[in-house]
Amino acid sequence: MSKLPAIQDTLAKLKKKRKELMTVRHPLFFMSEGEKVIYCAALFLQLQINENSNPLNHFEFNRLLVQGLCLPNNIISKILAQSNDKQKLLEKLLKILDTPQKKYIFMLDLNNLCMKENGLSDEEKEAFSIFGKMLSLSLEQISFIQKFILSAYYEETEQCMKCYESMSQFDMDLTMNQLKYYIPSIPYINVIEGRSLKSLEEMELREQCTIYGNICVKEGTSLIIADANVLLFGQIIVDGGKLLIYNSTLEYKGTENIPLIMVKSYSRLVINKGRFLCNNRSGGIKQINGSLHIRQSEFHDTNTQQAILFSGENAIITQCKFSNCYVRGKGAAIYKKSGRVNISQCNFYSCRANNGGAIYAKKGTRITDCKFKNCRALEFGNSIYFYGEIENRISHCMFETGIMDAKEVVQFIPKEIRCKISGEKWLKYSTIFEAGFYVEPGAVLNVENARIFLGQPAVVFGSINMSRCYVAPYQLKGRDIIEISNAAMSEFENTVFDGDGKCSIFHATGTKLYLKNCVLKNTVGGRAIYQCTDSKILNCIFSFCEEGGIYMLSGVIKDCKFINCRGDKGAGIEVKGNRTVIEGCRFVRCIARMTGGAIHALGGNQVLDCAYKECKPNAIG
């Protein structure tokens, strides 16, 4: 018999440990820390009534602080300080408990903290009654609260459900998801049909929830989703209200291609540790107004809609993960249309779009400390497409290759912005110049490891230097890509110039060019290089140049290859003048309509150690 108390004590401890482990977030978890301190200080007053209880070592009070409200360890000193002046404390409490729902929850906590085997003392009952009157609660409402807590204390789940049904019939605005805090072991799945929240209503979803139809969060209402697994057959429409998501998973089970969350009028979204499972049938968030603050969240398997499409006022997206996002348009993971957006410490995996495989951004966007892997764009910007000049808005990002590859990031300079280069400028991002660019006399443009696309010719009166680049037209036809007139020497190394069957490459009037290890291909409408003087072209390849490879006034062409070039005279090379050296070049299937399939040159020029194969009508004319 002597062992029985010890066994009972062990069972009680196990019961408490189990309850502690199963505890969900408190219904008022989303209050500010200051409000939580006032709330707990008022409850602390009730605990002090029982002389046999140590408030600082009270199981339910500690469960409320740590598991329920997630307050820091040092918060107890602030609670004690607040409880010293009872009158001021109660005044502050009444300001916090500004809805009937919050008043019910406070009374539930009050009763829960005092519940024990031998029931409430007379002093505790009297204090409970005083608080009930102070909060203007009816005797019926107080009775329902007491019955529910008593049933929860003894884990009588059936009786708890009956109490909950009675509360609902009496229009007490509480949900079973909120009440689960007081009896975590109760099995319950919340099934909600489509509805609009009533004025000033605050709706909470916890644990297992299934939503059929749409939930509309209008102005003056709030929807809180905390510690929940939500199956969505419709969508959440935020139309002027407030949406808070914490530590919850939203999974789309519908059949329409819609975003899980649609934000219309000015609204506020706060999401922390959210998980969006779109199952290749939907997008994540489409917000056309308001603010968004999202952190430590995940978006998986979006399709036809972006994970986040934002055109509100202000957004902070940090420590988030986006994987397997797909859209046929812009920015599969994030498409920023307007507003100020900060994207930081995010990871992007296997995102696909036409432009901006992961992100499509505009001015007002900052992207820092992000990682991109296996992201692809059908057209431009495998990882990021930036509409406007990037300047210093992207920093400390990592890409699949470990560096910012030329295909990973592209900036689009629209025709409204005529890009004029003065002084010396370094271009480090791949760029689409819709209206080309202009290099002033004496100015220098340096471009390294970038892809350049031109909607209008680049006009150069200064100097342009390129290394490890790719240059091609963008909606440009029948003209030269680069027009250099009476300029200083320009140098190009390890660069590919692709006419794309639409235009030619250089028109270099009175200008020295230096090209080494370059490729010039697929040109039409003119020679790949026209009218350069005193230039050096070394170890370059000219391929499929429809109007010929080079037209030179003077200079050196050495160790170059000309393949499948066409022209009237000198399909590979035409020399005007007598101071040009052509050495060690190879010509394959270069065909002229008149003479000189490979070379047409006047006397006085030197042609040394060149090879010819299938050049017509003759090799040199």
Side-chain angles (χ1 to χ4, degrees), residues 413-419 433-437 455-457:
I413 309 300
K415 59 186 177 183
E416 294 80 17
I417 303 173
R418 180 65 175 173
C419 187
F433 293 96
E434 190 177 25
F437 59 83
Q456 294 293 328

mmCIF file of all heavy atoms in Angstrom, residues 413-419 433-437 455-457:
data_model
loop_
_atom_site.group_PDB
_atom_site.id
_atom_site.type_symbol
_atom_site.label_atom_id
_atom_site.label_comp_id
_atom_site.label_asym_id
_atom_site.label_seq_id
_atom_site.Cartn_x
_atom_site.Cartn_y
_atom_site.Cartn_z
ATOM 1 N N ILE A 413 17.059 47.238 -70.093
ATOM 2 C CA ILE A 413 17.046 48.696 -70.138
ATOM 3 C C ILE A 413 16.043 49.102 -71.223
ATOM 4 O O ILE A 413 16.314 48.946 -72.414
ATOM 5 C CB ILE A 413 18.440 49.270 -70.456
ATOM 6 C CG1 ILE A 413 19.505 48.665 -69.520
ATOM 7 C CG2 ILE A 413 18.414 50.782 -70.365
ATOM 8 C CD1 ILE A 413 19.265 48.930 -68.054
ATOM 9 N N PRO A 414 14.855 49.605 -70.836
ATOM 10 C CA PRO A 414 13.805 49.895 -71.824
ATOM 11 C C PRO A 414 14.157 51.077 -72.705
ATOM 12 O O PRO A 414 15.059 51.877 -72.408
ATOM 13 C CB PRO A 414 12.582 50.199 -70.948
ATOM 14 C CG PRO A 414 13.150 50.685 -69.658
ATOM 15 C CD PRO A 414 14.437 49.944 -69.457
ATOM 16 N N LYS A 415 13.419 51.215 -73.797
ATOM 17 C CA LYS A 415 13.728 52.270 -74.775
ATOM 18 C C LYS A 415 13.515 53.668 -74.213
ATOM 19 O O LYS A 415 14.073 54.640 -74.728
ATOM 20 C CB LYS A 415 12.884 52.074 -76.029
ATOM 21 C CG LYS A 415 11.386 52.098 -75.799
ATOM 22 C CD LYS A 415 10.647 51.753 -77.064
ATOM 23 C CE LYS A 415 9.135 51.699 -76.825
ATOM 24 N NZ LYS A 415 8.406 51.282 -78.049
ATOM 25 N N GLU A 416 12.725 53.787 -73.151
ATOM 26 C CA GLU A 416 12.534 55.098 -72.525
ATOM 27 C C GLU A 416 13.831 55.614 -71.898
ATOM 28 O O GLU A 416 13.984 56.808 -71.680
ATOM 29 C CB GLU A 416 11.450 55.030 -71.450
ATOM 30 C CG GLU A 416 10.043 54.739 -71.960
ATOM 31 C CD GLU A 416 9.814 53.270 -72.245
ATOM 32 O OE1 GLU A 416 10.616 52.447 -71.747
ATOM 33 O OE2 GLU A 416 8.859 52.941 -72.974
ATOM 34 N N ILE A 417 14.730 54.696 -71.598
ATOM 35 C CA ILE A 417 16.020 55.071 -71.003
ATOM 36 C C ILE A 417 17.112 54.926 -72.062
ATOM 37 O O ILE A 417 17.558 53.825 -72.355
ATOM 38 C CB ILE A 417 16.350 54.183 -69.785
ATOM 39 C CG1 ILE A 417 15.229 54.260 -68.743
ATOM 40 C CG2 ILE A 417 17.679 54.579 -69.169
ATOM 41 C CD1 ILE A 417 15.396 53.298 -67.596
ATOM 42 N N ARG A 418 17.498 56.010 -72.653
ATOM 43 C CA ARG A 418 18.582 55.971 -73.643
ATOM 44 C C ARG A 418 19.901 55.929 -72.879
ATOM 45 O O ARG A 418 20.281 56.895 -72.210
ATOM 46 C CB ARG A 418 18.518 57.189 -74.552
ATOM 47 C CG ARG A 418 19.608 57.233 -75.609
ATOM 48 C CD ARG A 418 19.494 56.099 -76.613
ATOM 49 N NE ARG A 418 20.471 56.244 -77.677
ATOM 50 C CZ ARG A 418 20.690 55.346 -78.614
ATOM 51 N NH1 ARG A 418 19.992 54.228 -78.618
ATOM 52 N NH2 ARG A 418 21.582 55.538 -79.559
ATOM 53 N N CYS A 419 20.586 54.815 -72.953
ATOM 54 C CA CYS A 419 21.797 54.621 -72.158
ATOM 55 C C CYS A 419 22.976 55.339 -72.815
ATOM 56 O O CYS A 419 23.406 54.979 -73.907
ATOM 57 C CB CYS A 419 22.083 53.127 -72.027
ATOM 58 S SG CYS A 419 23.433 52.768 -70.917
ATOM 59 N N PHE A 433 19.543 45.904 -74.092
ATOM 60 C CA PHE A 433 19.385 47.333 -74.383
ATOM 61 C C PHE A 433 18.312 47.472 -75.459
ATOM 62 O O PHE A 433 18.584 47.289 -76.639
ATOM 63 C CB PHE A 433 20.696 47.940 -74.870
ATOM 64 C CG PHE A 433 21.782 47.990 -73.836
ATOM 65 C CD1 PHE A 433 22.746 46.990 -73.760
ATOM 66 C CD2 PHE A 433 21.854 49.044 -72.934
ATOM 67 C CE1 PHE A 433 23.763 47.044 -72.817
ATOM 68 C CE2 PHE A 433 22.872 49.103 -71.980
ATOM 69 C CZ PHE A 433 23.825 48.105 -71.919
ATOM 70 N N GLU A 434 17.106 47.811 -75.066
ATOM 71 C CA GLU A 434 16.020 47.890 -76.051
ATOM 72 C C GLU A 434 16.287 48.970 -77.090
ATOM 73 O O GLU A 434 15.913 48.840 -78.251
ATOM 74 C CB GLU A 434 14.687 48.152 -75.351
ATOM 75 C CG GLU A 434 13.498 48.007 -76.279
ATOM 76 C CD GLU A 434 12.170 48.200 -75.586
ATOM 77 O OE1 GLU A 434 12.117 48.888 -74.539
ATOM 78 O OE2 GLU A 434 11.162 47.666 -76.089
ATOM 79 N N ALA A 435 16.928 50.064 -76.684
ATOM 80 C CA ALA A 435 17.228 51.152 -77.618
ATOM 81 C C ALA A 435 18.731 51.282 -77.858
ATOM 82 O O ALA A 435 19.221 52.349 -78.235
ATOM 83 C CB ALA A 435 16.656 52.463 -77.077
ATOM 84 N N GLY A 436 19.492 50.215 -77.640
ATOM 85 C CA GLY A 436 20.934 50.273 -77.823
ATOM 86 C C GLY A 436 21.592 51.143 -76.763
ATOM 87 O O GLY A 436 21.006 51.450 -75.729
ATOM 88 N N PHE A 437 22.833 51.531 -77.030
ATOM 89 C CA PHE A 437 23.518 52.454 -76.124
ATOM 90 C C PHE A 437 24.467 53.340 -76.924
ATOM 91 O O PHE A 437 24.794 53.056 -78.078
ATOM 92 C CB PHE A 437 24.253 51.726 -74.995
ATOM 93 C CG PHE A 437 25.291 50.745 -75.444
ATOM 94 C CD1 PHE A 437 26.574 51.155 -75.789
ATOM 95 C CD2 PHE A 437 24.989 49.388 -75.512
ATOM 96 C CE1 PHE A 437 27.537 50.238 -76.201
ATOM 97 C CE2 PHE A 437 25.949 48.463 -75.918
ATOM 98 C CZ PHE A 437 27.226 48.897 -76.264
ATOM 99 N N GLY A 455 18.441 46.040 -79.076
ATOM 100 C CA GLY A 455 17.237 46.306 -79.865
ATOM 101 C C GLY A 455 17.476 47.356 -80.925
ATOM 102 O O GLY A 455 16.741 47.437 -81.908
ATOM 103 N N GLN A 456 18.481 48.187 -80.715
ATOM 104 C CA GLN A 456 18.958 49.167 -81.691
ATOM 105 C C GLN A 456 20.485 49.081 -81.672
ATOM 106 O O GLN A 456 21.070 48.600 -80.701
ATOM 107 C CB GLN A 456 18.500 50.577 -81.324
ATOM 108 C CG GLN A 456 16.995 50.800 -81.392
ATOM 109 C CD GLN A 456 16.464 50.726 -82.812
ATOM 110 O OE1 GLN A 456 17.158 51.094 -83.780
ATOM 111 N NE2 GLN A 456 15.248 50.230 -82.960
ATOM 112 N N PRO A 457 21.149 49.557 -82.743
ATOM 113 C CA PRO A 457 22.612 49.450 -82.766
ATOM 114 C C PRO A 457 23.270 50.212 -81.622
ATOM 115 O O PRO A 457 22.786 51.254 -81.186
ATOM 116 C CB PRO A 457 22.993 50.063 -84.117
ATOM 117 C CG PRO A 457 21.764 49.942 -84.959
ATOM 118 C CD PRO A 457 20.611 50.093 -84.024
#
